[in-house]
Amino acid sequence: MVRIVFFGRLSDASENLDTELPSGVENTEALAVWLAEGNERLAEAMARPGIRVIVNDEVRHGPASVADGDEIAFMSPVGGG
Amino acid sequence: MSDDRIIRNHPFDPQRELALFEAGLSASGAVVSFTGIVRPGDSSDPVEALELQHHPRLTEPQIAQCAGGVRERFGLEAVLVRHRIGRMAPGDTIVLVAAASAHRREAFEGADALMDWLKTEAMFWKKEWRLSGPQWIEPRTDDYADARRWQEEIYARHQ
């Protein structure tokens, strides 16, 4: 089981999920593709520039491996102030 | 009682926070502060509320780390950051930043650099609720250009 959480615009497109990783989905890039299948709103939001990915509270640049027990966060562009 | 939490989910009084910050200084001759306030929007489509999300575990340490980097880089005695999350109304304070140093230049620049970082790198997400409906507010091109002025030396190791 992995936990998938969404922040910002992405959080409007999908609820947070606890799910089994489908076979063949071994990194964050494949996971994003799998999540966006059948969710047009999420696909549109994920295709925007500036999405950041965090695995187990660590920012990852580029595809990062995912495994059972991980928490993966997908974040829309950040900005406060 | 002083409250050191950076992230606040209830309104805070920026004057009080600033007074407490100044009371704790011992080596500064200059304090520069910035207060960000929820805009009212325009009269044809007023802002009813601004909602801020944050990352429950990462946002606060991320800001603390950047504030430390800014303090070092500009040789500041101290740096203050207070940031709201949750639902706010126009006129509410979103953010307070203050920088204290021996002389004014470093304090101005430190506060400026920290705000540019908060605008583009801090883990917050803003949703504006207008009469016409909700809209996510993401950093503008200008915000990224502002942040690039300080590049690398401060931010690179604090992301």
Side-chain angles (χ1 to χ4, degrees):
Chain A
M1 194 83 100
V2 292
R3 178 154 184 80
I4 300 163
V5 295
F6 298 94
F7 290 96
R9 190 188 300 276
L10 299 172
S11 68
D12 276 352
S14 175
E15 299 283 323
N16 296 338
L17 308 166
D18 291 303
T19 182
E20 297 296 338
L21 279 175
S23 64
V25 172
E26 288 166 359
N27 67 37
T28 49
E29 202 170 65
L31 180 61
V33 170
W34 177 69
L35 289 167
E37 275 170 20
N39 183 341
E40 219 167 279
R41 199 168 173 198
L42 187 62
E44 188 273 332
M46 286 280 211
R48 288 168 174 259
I51 304 293
R52 297 183 192 196
V53 181
I54 288 185
V55 180
N56 301 330
D57 289 357
E58 266 185 53
V59 180
R60 309 305 295 260
H61 303 282
S65 61
V66 292
D68 208 36
D70 286 349
E71 182 189 281
I72 303 106
F74 291 95
M75 314 194 311
S76 288
V78 300
Chain B
M1 262 300 272
S2 97
D3 176 353
D4 292 339
R5 289 170 306 145
I6 292 170
I7 308 284
R8 306 297 180 95
N9 54 8
H10 295 290
F12 63 88
D13 176 358
Q15 266 79 36
R16 183 168 182 275
E17 297 287 337
L18 194 57
L20 288 167
F21 176 70
E22 290 183 0
L25 300 173
S26 59
S28 290
V31 175
V32 169
S33 70
F34 171 85
T35 309
I37 297 162
V38 180
R39 287 188 195 83
D42 51 79
S43 54
S44 65
D45 192 15
V47 171
E48 293 170 342
L50 184 71
E51 192 185 321
L52 254 91
Q53 289 181 354
H54 76 310
H55 190 293
R57 293 182 303 278
L58 300 184
T59 308
E60 183 140 336
Q62 183 208 21
I63 293 173
Q65 196 178 27
C66 177
V70 166
R71 189 164 57 81
E72 252 173 63
R73 160 69 176 77
F74 293 96
L76 306 171
E77 181 187 354
V79 168
L80 175 74
V81 183
R82 299 288 179 257
H83 207 298
R84 270 298 305 276
I85 54 168
R87 203 173 169 89
M88 285 158 269
D92 285 357
T93 299
I94 308 173
V95 62
L96 169 69
V97 154
S101 59
H103 299 282
R104 71 182 184 285
R105 185 66 53 210
E106 293 74 18
F108 273 116
E109 290 187 345
D112 199 11
L114 193 48
M115 273 312 302
D116 286 343
W117 181 88
L118 284 168
K119 282 282 184 185
T120 54
E121 296 296 334
M123 286 182 198
F124 293 106
W125 297 272
K126 278 185 192 171
K127 195 180 202 178
E128 200 173 60
W129 295 82
R130 287 184 180 253
L131 194 59
S132 59
Q135 198 183 344
W136 288 99
I137 308 294
E138 290 170 359
R140 302 162 304 149
T141 313
D142 287 354
D143 293 326
Y144 291 118
D146 284 345
R148 274 197 300 274
R149 295 180 303 156
W150 312 102
Q151 214 55 311
E152 275 104 61
E153 52 187 330
I154 312 172
Y155 302 154
R157 55 188 218 276
H158 294 285
Q159 280 178 30

mmCIF file of all heavy atoms in Angstrom, chain B residues 62-63 65-76 106 109-118 121 146-159:
data_model
loop_
_atom_site.group_PDB
_atom_site.id
_atom_site.type_symbol
_atom_site.label_atom_id
_atom_site.label_comp_id
_atom_site.label_asym_id
_atom_site.label_seq_id
_atom_site.Cartn_x
_atom_site.Cartn_y
_atom_site.Cartn_z
ATOM 1 N N GLN B 62 10.948 24.102 6.412
ATOM 2 C CA GLN B 62 11.491 24.666 5.176
ATOM 3 C C GLN B 62 11.684 26.178 5.329
ATOM 4 O O GLN B 62 12.727 26.732 4.965
ATOM 5 C CB GLN B 62 10.505 24.359 4.027
ATOM 6 C CG GLN B 62 10.974 24.813 2.664
ATOM 7 C CD GLN B 62 9.815 25.139 1.726
ATOM 8 O OE1 GLN B 62 8.693 25.398 2.157
ATOM 9 N NE2 GLN B 62 10.107 25.139 0.440
ATOM 10 N N ILE B 63 10.694 26.854 5.918
ATOM 11 C CA ILE B 63 10.792 28.306 6.113
ATOM 12 C C ILE B 63 11.877 28.629 7.145
ATOM 13 O O ILE B 63 12.673 29.556 6.955
ATOM 14 C CB ILE B 63 9.441 28.900 6.566
ATOM 15 C CG1 ILE B 63 8.409 28.778 5.441
ATOM 16 C CG2 ILE B 63 9.601 30.368 6.975
ATOM 17 C CD1 ILE B 63 7.009 29.189 5.847
ATOM 18 N N GLN B 65 14.509 27.015 7.802
ATOM 19 C CA GLN B 65 15.819 26.808 7.196
ATOM 20 C C GLN B 65 16.195 27.984 6.283
ATOM 21 O O GLN B 65 17.322 28.476 6.309
ATOM 22 C CB GLN B 65 15.807 25.503 6.396
ATOM 23 C CG GLN B 65 17.196 25.024 6.059
ATOM 24 C CD GLN B 65 17.180 23.715 5.306
ATOM 25 O OE1 GLN B 65 16.217 23.404 4.610
ATOM 26 N NE2 GLN B 65 18.245 22.949 5.440
ATOM 27 N N CYS B 66 15.218 28.443 5.500
ATOM 28 C CA CYS B 66 15.496 29.574 4.612
ATOM 29 C C CYS B 66 15.768 30.834 5.422
ATOM 30 O O CYS B 66 16.677 31.613 5.100
ATOM 31 C CB CYS B 66 14.337 29.807 3.661
ATOM 32 S SG CYS B 66 14.635 31.246 2.626
ATOM 33 N N ALA B 67 14.992 31.040 6.488
ATOM 34 C CA ALA B 67 15.195 32.231 7.319
ATOM 35 C C ALA B 67 16.606 32.229 7.893
ATOM 36 O O ALA B 67 17.273 33.264 7.947
ATOM 37 C CB ALA B 67 14.149 32.271 8.434
ATOM 38 N N GLY B 68 17.081 31.039 8.287
ATOM 39 C CA GLY B 68 18.443 30.910 8.790
ATOM 40 C C GLY B 68 19.477 31.261 7.739
ATOM 41 O O GLY B 68 20.478 31.928 8.006
ATOM 42 N N GLY B 69 19.207 30.818 6.505
ATOM 43 C CA GLY B 69 20.110 31.119 5.390
ATOM 44 C C GLY B 69 20.166 32.610 5.103
ATOM 45 O O GLY B 69 21.237 33.176 4.869
ATOM 46 N N VAL B 70 19.012 33.267 5.153
ATOM 47 C CA VAL B 70 18.945 34.709 4.908
ATOM 48 C C VAL B 70 19.671 35.466 6.034
ATOM 49 O O VAL B 70 20.400 36.428 5.784
ATOM 50 C CB VAL B 70 17.466 35.172 4.795
ATOM 51 C CG1 VAL B 70 17.338 36.679 4.890
ATOM 52 C CG2 VAL B 70 16.864 34.669 3.485
ATOM 53 N N ARG B 71 19.490 34.999 7.240
ATOM 54 C CA ARG B 71 20.141 35.655 8.386
ATOM 55 C C ARG B 71 21.654 35.625 8.231
ATOM 56 O O ARG B 71 22.347 36.637 8.391
ATOM 57 C CB ARG B 71 19.716 34.955 9.686
ATOM 58 C CG ARG B 71 20.151 35.677 10.947
ATOM 59 C CD ARG B 71 19.388 35.188 12.160
ATOM 60 N NE ARG B 71 19.523 33.757 12.371
ATOM 61 C CZ ARG B 71 20.566 33.180 12.951
ATOM 62 N NH1 ARG B 71 21.575 33.907 13.394
ATOM 63 N NH2 ARG B 71 20.616 31.871 13.089
ATOM 64 N N GLU B 72 22.147 34.450 7.855
ATOM 65 C CA GLU B 72 23.599 34.293 7.638
ATOM 66 C C GLU B 72 24.105 35.142 6.477
ATOM 67 O O GLU B 72 25.099 35.852 6.595
ATOM 68 C CB GLU B 72 23.881 32.835 7.256
ATOM 69 C CG GLU B 72 24.560 32.016 8.293
ATOM 70 C CD GLU B 72 24.616 30.576 7.826
ATOM 71 O OE1 GLU B 72 25.269 30.295 6.788
ATOM 72 O OE2 GLU B 72 23.983 29.735 8.488
ATOM 73 N N ARG B 73 23.408 35.037 5.363
ATOM 74 C CA ARG B 73 23.841 35.690 4.128
ATOM 75 C C ARG B 73 23.939 37.208 4.282
ATOM 76 O O ARG B 73 24.850 37.845 3.762
ATOM 77 C CB ARG B 73 22.874 35.311 3.010
ATOM 78 C CG ARG B 73 22.843 36.211 1.792
ATOM 79 C CD ARG B 73 24.128 36.129 0.970
ATOM 80 N NE ARG B 73 24.037 36.929 -0.237
ATOM 81 C CZ ARG B 73 24.146 38.242 -0.292
ATOM 82 N NH1 ARG B 73 24.333 38.928 0.821
ATOM 83 N NH2 ARG B 73 24.049 38.879 -1.427
ATOM 84 N N PHE B 74 22.961 37.797 5.008
ATOM 85 C CA PHE B 74 22.946 39.249 5.137
ATOM 86 C C PHE B 74 23.511 39.727 6.478
ATOM 87 O O PHE B 74 23.472 40.917 6.788
ATOM 88 C CB PHE B 74 21.519 39.783 4.939
ATOM 89 C CG PHE B 74 21.018 39.589 3.525
ATOM 90 C CD1 PHE B 74 20.238 38.489 3.199
ATOM 91 C CD2 PHE B 74 21.361 40.485 2.518
ATOM 92 C CE1 PHE B 74 19.803 38.280 1.895
ATOM 93 C CE2 PHE B 74 20.935 40.288 1.209
ATOM 94 C CZ PHE B 74 20.155 39.188 0.905
ATOM 95 N N GLY B 75 24.021 38.812 7.260
ATOM 96 C CA GLY B 75 24.600 39.181 8.549
ATOM 97 C C GLY B 75 23.606 39.840 9.484
ATOM 98 O O GLY B 75 23.915 40.834 10.148
ATOM 99 N N LEU B 76 22.398 39.257 9.545
ATOM 100 C CA LEU B 76 21.337 39.848 10.366
ATOM 101 C C LEU B 76 21.421 39.341 11.799
ATOM 102 O O LEU B 76 21.849 38.204 12.032
ATOM 103 C CB LEU B 76 19.973 39.482 9.784
ATOM 104 C CG LEU B 76 19.771 39.835 8.298
ATOM 105 C CD1 LEU B 76 18.475 39.215 7.786
ATOM 106 C CD2 LEU B 76 19.755 41.353 8.105
ATOM 107 N N GLU B 106 21.264 45.922 5.076
ATOM 108 C CA GLU B 106 21.148 44.469 5.218
ATOM 109 C C GLU B 106 19.720 44.074 5.627
ATOM 110 O O GLU B 106 19.197 43.039 5.206
ATOM 111 C CB GLU B 106 22.144 43.943 6.249
ATOM 112 C CG GLU B 106 23.604 44.064 5.832
ATOM 113 C CD GLU B 106 24.150 45.501 5.895
ATOM 114 O OE1 GLU B 106 23.532 46.347 6.580
ATOM 115 O OE2 GLU B 106 25.193 45.764 5.258
ATOM 116 N N GLU B 109 17.439 44.409 2.538
ATOM 117 C CA GLU B 109 17.695 43.338 1.568
ATOM 118 C C GLU B 109 17.281 41.970 2.104
ATOM 119 O O GLU B 109 16.738 41.148 1.365
ATOM 120 C CB GLU B 109 19.179 43.329 1.170
ATOM 121 C CG GLU B 109 19.520 44.546 0.326
ATOM 122 C CD GLU B 109 20.929 44.501 -0.250
ATOM 123 O OE1 GLU B 109 21.738 43.671 0.221
ATOM 124 O OE2 GLU B 109 21.203 45.294 -1.164
ATOM 125 N N GLY B 110 17.530 41.742 3.363
ATOM 126 C CA GLY B 110 17.158 40.464 3.970
ATOM 127 C C GLY B 110 15.646 40.250 3.920
ATOM 128 O O GLY B 110 15.166 39.171 3.560
ATOM 129 N N ALA B 111 14.881 41.290 4.266
ATOM 130 C CA ALA B 111 13.417 41.179 4.251
ATOM 131 C C ALA B 111 12.918 40.970 2.817
ATOM 132 O O ALA B 111 12.026 40.147 2.561
ATOM 133 C CB ALA B 111 12.783 42.428 4.863
ATOM 134 N N ASP B 112 13.512 41.683 1.889
ATOM 135 C CA ASP B 112 13.140 41.586 0.476
ATOM 136 C C ASP B 112 13.413 40.178 -0.067
ATOM 137 O O ASP B 112 12.546 39.552 -0.699
ATOM 138 C CB ASP B 112 13.972 42.629 -0.298
ATOM 139 C CG ASP B 112 13.397 42.968 -1.658
ATOM 140 O OD1 ASP B 112 12.248 42.571 -1.938
ATOM 141 O OD2 ASP B 112 14.099 43.644 -2.437
ATOM 142 N N ALA B 113 14.611 39.677 0.203
ATOM 143 C CA ALA B 113 15.001 38.348 -0.277
ATOM 144 C C ALA B 113 14.099 37.265 0.316
ATOM 145 O O ALA B 113 13.678 36.335 -0.376
ATOM 146 C CB ALA B 113 16.463 38.064 0.070
ATOM 147 N N LEU B 114 13.798 37.397 1.586
ATOM 148 C CA LEU B 114 12.969 36.392 2.253
ATOM 149 C C LEU B 114 11.554 36.394 1.670
ATOM 150 O O LEU B 114 10.968 35.336 1.429
ATOM 151 C CB LEU B 114 12.949 36.687 3.757
ATOM 152 C CG LEU B 114 12.411 35.610 4.686
ATOM 153 C CD1 LEU B 114 13.008 34.247 4.388
ATOM 154 C CD2 LEU B 114 12.690 36.001 6.130
ATOM 155 N N MET B 115 11.004 37.562 1.403
ATOM 156 C CA MET B 115 9.672 37.636 0.788
ATOM 157 C C MET B 115 9.678 37.038 -0.613
ATOM 158 O O MET B 115 8.735 36.328 -0.983
ATOM 159 C CB MET B 115 9.180 39.090 0.714
ATOM 160 C CG MET B 115 8.467 39.583 1.945
ATOM 161 S SD MET B 115 7.181 38.450 2.558
ATOM 162 C CE MET B 115 6.104 38.314 1.120
ATOM 163 N N ASP B 116 10.728 37.311 -1.385
ATOM 164 C CA ASP B 116 10.797 36.744 -2.741
ATOM 165 C C ASP B 116 10.833 35.221 -2.676
ATOM 166 O O ASP B 116 10.215 34.538 -3.497
ATOM 167 C CB ASP B 116 12.035 37.265 -3.481
ATOM 168 C CG ASP B 116 11.862 38.712 -3.923
ATOM 169 O OD1 ASP B 116 10.716 39.195 -3.956
ATOM 170 O OD2 ASP B 116 12.875 39.356 -4.236
ATOM 171 N N TRP B 117 11.542 34.701 -1.685
ATOM 172 C CA TRP B 117 11.598 33.250 -1.511
ATOM 173 C C TRP B 117 10.224 32.712 -1.093
ATOM 174 O O TRP B 117 9.740 31.715 -1.635
ATOM 175 C CB TRP B 117 12.669 32.891 -0.467
ATOM 176 C CG TRP B 117 12.803 31.417 -0.259
ATOM 177 C CD1 TRP B 117 13.601 30.550 -0.948
ATOM 178 C CD2 TRP B 117 12.085 30.629 0.701
ATOM 179 N NE1 TRP B 117 13.427 29.276 -0.483
ATOM 180 C CE2 TRP B 117 12.512 29.293 0.529
ATOM 181 C CE3 TRP B 117 11.138 30.916 1.679
ATOM 182 C CZ2 TRP B 117 12.007 28.253 1.305
ATOM 183 C CZ3 TRP B 117 10.629 29.886 2.452
ATOM 184 C CH2 TRP B 117 11.069 28.566 2.260
ATOM 185 N N LEU B 118 9.594 33.374 -0.141
ATOM 186 C CA LEU B 118 8.276 32.913 0.325
ATOM 187 C C LEU B 118 7.266 32.873 -0.824
ATOM 188 O O LEU B 118 6.436 31.971 -0.907
ATOM 189 C CB LEU B 118 7.739 33.830 1.434
ATOM 190 C CG LEU B 118 8.365 33.646 2.816
ATOM 191 C CD1 LEU B 118 7.964 34.799 3.742
ATOM 192 C CD2 LEU B 118 7.941 32.314 3.439
ATOM 193 N N GLU B 121 8.898 29.780 -3.348
ATOM 194 C CA GLU B 121 9.459 28.496 -2.913
ATOM 195 C C GLU B 121 8.788 27.899 -1.683
ATOM 196 O O GLU B 121 8.891 26.686 -1.455
ATOM 197 C CB GLU B 121 10.961 28.646 -2.612
ATOM 198 C CG GLU B 121 11.810 29.012 -3.817
ATOM 199 C CD GLU B 121 11.811 27.942 -4.900
ATOM 200 O OE1 GLU B 121 11.602 26.757 -4.594
ATOM 201 O OE2 GLU B 121 12.001 28.305 -6.065
ATOM 202 N N ASP B 146 11.766 38.163 -9.633
ATOM 203 C CA ASP B 146 12.211 38.780 -8.373
ATOM 204 C C ASP B 146 13.090 37.810 -7.579
ATOM 205 O O ASP B 146 14.139 38.181 -7.058
ATOM 206 C CB ASP B 146 11.002 39.175 -7.514
ATOM 207 C CG ASP B 146 10.303 40.427 -8.025
ATOM 208 O OD1 ASP B 146 10.902 41.139 -8.859
ATOM 209 O OD2 ASP B 146 9.160 40.682 -7.607
ATOM 210 N N ALA B 147 12.641 36.572 -7.496
ATOM 211 C CA ALA B 147 13.376 35.580 -6.705
ATOM 212 C C ALA B 147 14.752 35.300 -7.304
ATOM 213 O O ALA B 147 15.716 35.058 -6.579
ATOM 214 C CB ALA B 147 12.569 34.291 -6.585
ATOM 215 N N ARG B 148 14.833 35.363 -8.649
ATOM 216 C CA ARG B 148 16.119 35.079 -9.306
ATOM 217 C C ARG B 148 17.191 36.110 -8.967
ATOM 218 O O ARG B 148 18.371 35.848 -9.116
ATOM 219 C CB ARG B 148 15.935 34.993 -10.836
ATOM 220 C CG ARG B 148 15.513 33.605 -11.301
ATOM 221 C CD ARG B 148 15.739 33.422 -12.796
ATOM 222 N NE ARG B 148 14.981 34.379 -13.587
ATOM 223 C CZ ARG B 148 13.720 34.211 -13.969
ATOM 224 N NH1 ARG B 148 13.083 33.118 -13.639
ATOM 225 N NH2 ARG B 148 13.102 35.123 -14.684
ATOM 226 N N ARG B 149 16.773 37.302 -8.518
ATOM 227 C CA ARG B 149 17.756 38.328 -8.176
ATOM 228 C C ARG B 149 18.706 37.865 -7.071
ATOM 229 O O ARG B 149 19.819 38.358 -6.954
ATOM 230 C CB ARG B 149 17.059 39.608 -7.683
ATOM 231 C CG ARG B 149 16.224 40.299 -8.744
ATOM 232 C CD ARG B 149 15.572 41.535 -8.175
ATOM 233 N NE ARG B 149 14.746 41.231 -7.007
ATOM 234 C CZ ARG B 149 14.442 42.105 -6.057
ATOM 235 N NH1 ARG B 149 14.906 43.331 -6.107
ATOM 236 N NH2 ARG B 149 13.676 41.751 -5.046
ATOM 237 N N TRP B 150 18.229 36.951 -6.231
ATOM 238 C CA TRP B 150 19.034 36.546 -5.063
ATOM 239 C C TRP B 150 19.704 35.201 -5.268
ATOM 240 O O TRP B 150 20.477 34.763 -4.431
ATOM 241 C CB TRP B 150 18.147 36.455 -3.818
ATOM 242 C CG TRP B 150 17.280 37.637 -3.638
ATOM 243 C CD1 TRP B 150 15.948 37.708 -3.926
ATOM 244 C CD2 TRP B 150 17.646 38.931 -3.143
ATOM 245 N NE1 TRP B 150 15.477 38.951 -3.634
ATOM 246 C CE2 TRP B 150 16.487 39.722 -3.157
ATOM 247 C CE3 TRP B 150 18.843 39.475 -2.693
ATOM 248 C CZ2 TRP B 150 16.490 41.045 -2.728
ATOM 249 C CZ3 TRP B 150 18.834 40.792 -2.274
ATOM 250 C CH2 TRP B 150 17.672 41.564 -2.296
ATOM 251 N N GLN B 151 19.313 34.575 -6.345
ATOM 252 C CA GLN B 151 19.683 33.195 -6.684
ATOM 253 C C GLN B 151 20.793 32.501 -5.893
ATOM 254 O O GLN B 151 21.572 33.119 -5.188
ATOM 255 C CB GLN B 151 20.009 33.138 -8.170
ATOM 256 C CG GLN B 151 19.628 31.840 -8.841
ATOM 257 C CD GLN B 151 18.167 31.461 -8.663
ATOM 258 O OE1 GLN B 151 17.644 31.477 -7.545
ATOM 259 N NE2 GLN B 151 17.496 31.098 -9.727
ATOM 260 N N GLU B 152 20.820 31.261 -6.101
ATOM 261 C CA GLU B 152 21.817 30.311 -5.583
ATOM 262 C C GLU B 152 22.294 30.508 -4.152
ATOM 263 O O GLU B 152 21.939 29.757 -3.272
ATOM 264 C CB GLU B 152 23.026 30.206 -6.514
ATOM 265 C CG GLU B 152 22.809 29.208 -7.625
ATOM 266 C CD GLU B 152 22.525 29.874 -8.937
ATOM 267 O OE1 GLU B 152 23.376 30.605 -9.403
ATOM 268 O OE2 GLU B 152 21.440 29.658 -9.491
ATOM 269 N N GLU B 153 23.106 31.544 -3.949
ATOM 270 C CA GLU B 153 23.801 31.655 -2.662
ATOM 271 C C GLU B 153 22.864 31.475 -1.464
ATOM 272 O O GLU B 153 23.253 30.860 -0.478
ATOM 273 C CB GLU B 153 24.551 32.983 -2.570
ATOM 274 C CG GLU B 153 23.657 34.154 -2.888
ATOM 275 C CD GLU B 153 24.443 35.460 -2.975
ATOM 276 O OE1 GLU B 153 25.458 35.590 -2.303
ATOM 277 O OE2 GLU B 153 24.012 36.341 -3.743
ATOM 278 N N ILE B 154 21.655 32.027 -1.551
ATOM 279 C CA ILE B 154 20.759 31.867 -0.413
ATOM 280 C C ILE B 154 19.905 30.632 -0.573
ATOM 281 O O ILE B 154 19.800 29.810 0.319
ATOM 282 C CB ILE B 154 19.765 33.018 -0.287
ATOM 283 C CG1 ILE B 154 20.467 34.349 -0.407
ATOM 284 C CG2 ILE B 154 19.012 32.910 1.022
ATOM 285 C CD1 ILE B 154 19.487 35.483 -0.484
ATOM 286 N N TYR B 155 19.267 30.540 -1.741
ATOM 287 C CA TYR B 155 18.197 29.544 -1.864
ATOM 288 C C TYR B 155 18.688 28.152 -2.161
ATOM 289 O O TYR B 155 18.121 27.182 -1.674
ATOM 290 C CB TYR B 155 17.245 29.964 -2.977
ATOM 291 C CG TYR B 155 16.620 31.322 -2.800
ATOM 292 C CD1 TYR B 155 16.192 32.032 -3.901
ATOM 293 C CD2 TYR B 155 16.429 31.856 -1.534
ATOM 294 C CE1 TYR B 155 15.591 33.266 -3.756
ATOM 295 C CE2 TYR B 155 15.830 33.079 -1.383
ATOM 296 C CZ TYR B 155 15.411 33.799 -2.499
ATOM 297 O OH TYR B 155 14.822 35.002 -2.375
ATOM 298 N N ALA B 156 19.721 28.023 -2.987
ATOM 299 C CA ALA B 156 20.067 26.715 -3.526
ATOM 300 C C ALA B 156 20.195 25.660 -2.433
ATOM 301 O O ALA B 156 19.696 24.561 -2.562
ATOM 302 C CB ALA B 156 21.351 26.818 -4.321
ATOM 303 N N ARG B 157 20.847 26.000 -1.337
ATOM 304 C CA ARG B 157 21.038 24.979 -0.326
ATOM 305 C C ARG B 157 19.890 24.915 0.676
ATOM 306 O O ARG B 157 19.932 24.179 1.644
ATOM 307 C CB ARG B 157 22.354 25.219 0.406
ATOM 308 C CG ARG B 157 22.511 26.583 1.012
ATOM 309 C CD ARG B 157 23.943 26.702 1.506
ATOM 310 N NE ARG B 157 24.017 27.441 2.764
ATOM 311 C CZ ARG B 157 24.056 28.771 2.822
ATOM 312 N NH1 ARG B 157 24.006 29.491 1.744
ATOM 313 N NH2 ARG B 157 24.131 29.367 3.998
ATOM 314 N N HIS B 158 18.860 25.707 0.449
ATOM 315 C CA HIS B 158 17.751 25.707 1.397
ATOM 316 C C HIS B 158 16.443 25.241 0.774
ATOM 317 O O HIS B 158 15.396 25.702 1.125
ATOM 318 C CB HIS B 158 17.577 27.102 2.003
ATOM 319 C CG HIS B 158 18.745 27.474 2.839
ATOM 320 N ND1 HIS B 158 18.947 26.937 4.087
ATOM 321 C CD2 HIS B 158 19.802 28.281 2.610
ATOM 322 C CE1 HIS B 158 20.068 27.417 4.585
ATOM 323 N NE2 HIS B 158 20.615 28.233 3.712
ATOM 324 N N GLN B 159 16.558 24.377 -0.246
ATOM 325 C CA GLN B 159 15.321 23.892 -0.872
ATOM 326 C C GLN B 159 15.078 22.433 -0.561
ATOM 327 O O GLN B 159 16.016 21.705 -0.377
ATOM 328 C CB GLN B 159 15.399 24.091 -2.377
ATOM 329 C CG GLN B 159 15.074 25.532 -2.724
ATOM 330 C CD GLN B 159 15.196 25.787 -4.207
ATOM 331 O OE1 GLN B 159 14.974 24.895 -4.998
ATOM 332 N NE2 GLN B 159 15.566 26.987 -4.564
#
